[in-house]
Amino acid sequence: MQRIILDVDSAGDDILAVLFAAAHPEIKLEGVTTVTGAAGPITQVTNVVLNTLSLAGRDDIPVHAGAWRPIVGNSKADMEAPVHFEKRLTARFGERLRDFNPPAPEPKRPASPGHAVDFIIETVKANPGEITLVTTGPTTNAAMAFLQEPSLPSLLKNMLVLGGNFTTPGNMTPLSEYNIWADPEAARIVLNADVDKVLVPLDVCEDNRVAESMLTRDDIADMTAIMTDNPVVNMIRDTFPIYIDIWREFFGLVGFPMDDVITVALCFAPDLVTTTEPLFADVVLDKGVARGQTVAYRGHQILPGGEGPKTTRIANGLDGRRFLSIFKAAMARYERTSAPTTKA
């Protein structure tokens, strides 16, 4: 059983990651923490998580609201760009956009008291060597926790960080992936921390080389045909076709990439990915197109640099077919009338 804290910004695949972590028998979800990111303000992000856990029947899982802004960030217009992304798609998708990041209804329960950073620190300190911190949005909460409690990296079991890009073009600038770009200063703190971590970049999530890992309309049809009394699968059927269409037509992918779920799955199935050897990874903080670029120190360079812990393994390959099977098996556990499926 892998004990995790899941830190999310409640974009589409974060919802699936929360459902996956709440259902999988090899995961104990100690709590979900929220951070402002691609889905909008911290209230929206937190309410989405609360509603998602209610759908899953897991109102027992604590949810703590966290950072409402990045440590430094970018221009106001640039930071708001992902939230207003749908406005660029109105002419193409029309009414179908109503299911793309809609305002979250009032949840059945409030968020747990206490800031996300305090929850992370207190939980990890109370369980040294037991907790994996999984970040699937900007790393602001993790960075602030490390700044507030310098011993924290040594007390974690490990980290799984969704972010960066190396061979695949960025989705914010040609050089930068959203999670790192949204708070580069935080990402630098996290990647420079002396804790074993796996960095999951766009290369193994949002690239057609890993097409077998992406959710398609056929996958949704297969799940709904088999899982006939499943409220979670019904939500996926109703909500995610527009995500599939956008990622196909705007980003040129064969389906909806499951970045966040892949990252969570590595806590119990690390062999889903191949990785580099442990190395030092850093982040470009300069203004301009390179801001938020993730840099891996490999090879031999003349100029000095790269003085940091070699504790980051970068995922560079994925068994997409096996991953998607694991995801579907976890969703089958929400079936009301059938015995849960545990194998993939």
Side-chain angles (χ1 to χ4, degrees):
M1 180 73 69
Q2 303 299 315
R3 302 173 65 186
I4 74 170
I5 296 173
L6 178 56
D7 189 70
V8 304
D9 67 349
S10 292
D13 48 339
D14 291 271
I15 296 169
L16 299 180
V18 170
L19 292 167
F20 180 79
H24 201 282
E26 294 188 50
I27 295 175
K28 182 181 180 185
L29 184 54
E30 300 287 342
V32 181
T33 53
T34 62
V35 60
T36 294
I42 195 65
T43 300
Q44 165 77 1
V45 176
T46 305
N47 285 350
V48 167
V49 173
L50 290 166
N51 290 332
T52 300
L53 286 173
S54 290
L55 174 66
R58 294 301 308 274
D59 284 328
D60 58 304
I61 296 174
V63 178
H64 291 264
W68 61 273
R69 55 153 293 165
I71 292 174
V72 175
N74 305 286
S75 72
K76 185 175 186 293
D78 285 350
M79 292 301 293
E80 292 177 349
V83 179
H84 298 303
F85 170 56
E86 61 264 32
K87 293 180 180 178
R88 300 170 59 186
L89 305 173
T90 300
R92 186 179 299 182
F93 296 105
E95 274 300 302
R96 283 187 290 162
L97 287 177
R98 69 183 183 278
D99 294 324
F100 182 70
N101 192 31
E106 190 69 22
K108 294 196 310 185
R109 61 164 171 144
S112 306
H115 195 278
V117 170
D118 295 325
F119 173 75
I120 292 170
I121 292 171
E122 291 165 6
T123 304
V124 173
K125 289 182 72 174
N127 302 276
E130 294 291 326
I131 305 296
T132 295
L133 179 58
V134 184
T135 64
T136 61
T139 57
T140 314
N141 287 331
M144 291 197 302
F146 290 171
L147 291 175
Q148 187 170 321
E149 181 50 75
S151 69
L152 203 65
S154 66
L155 299 176
L156 283 167
K157 180 178 181 180
N158 59 1
M159 281 192 75
L160 298 167
V161 179
L162 174 62
N165 59 295
F166 298 92
T167 61
T168 299
N171 53 14
M172 287 306 295
T173 79
L175 300 174
S176 304
E177 174 274 336
Y178 174 76
N179 285 347
I180 306 297
W181 173 90
D183 197 341
E185 285 75 15
R188 170 176 271 189
I189 291 167
V190 168
L191 291 181
N192 280 231
D194 193 3
V195 54
D196 289 339
K197 63 187 83 71
V198 175
L199 182 65
V200 183
L202 294 181
D203 310 40
V204 297
C205 301
E206 300 197 22
D207 192 298
N208 281 330
R209 290 174 296 178
V210 290
E212 290 179 331
S213 68
M214 297 178 191
L215 188 71
T216 67
R217 286 174 176 268
D218 287 344
D219 293 313
I220 293 176
D222 288 346
M223 287 193 292
T224 54
I226 297 170
M227 308 170 203
T228 57
D229 189 14
N230 189 312
V232 166
V233 169
N234 290 344
M235 182 277 295
I236 293 172
R237 176 201 62 202
D238 295 341
T239 302
F240 279 86
I242 184 60
Y243 286 84
I244 294 167
D245 293 349
I246 289 171
W247 262 259
R248 283 176 61 92
E249 295 190 34
F250 190 89
F251 292 107
L253 300 177
V254 301
F256 180 61
M258 308 272 274
D259 314 29
D260 302 57
V261 191
I262 291 167
T263 306
V264 172
L266 297 183
C267 75
F268 65 85
D271 58 340
L272 280 171
V273 296
T274 56
T275 70
T276 66
E277 293 298 313
L279 49 75
F280 174 62
D282 207 355
V283 178
V284 175
L285 302 183
D286 297 341
K287 292 182 179 179
V289 70
R291 180 165 169 79
Q293 181 180 12
T294 309
V295 179
Y297 280 88
R298 292 175 285 192
H300 305 279
Q301 290 83 36
I302 294 173
L303 287 176
E307 293 86 5
K310 294 182 178 181
T311 54
T312 299
R313 290 180 293 127
I314 299 170
N316 54 19
L318 171 70
D319 186 343
R321 188 184 297 266
R322 180 178 163 221
F323 158 73
L324 200 57
S325 176
I326 290 172
F327 171 74
K328 291 178 179 179
M331 296 304 97
R333 296 182 66 83
Y334 289 109
E335 186 77 358
R336 290 188 177 117
T337 55
S338 300
T341 301
T342 58
K343 286 191 173 183

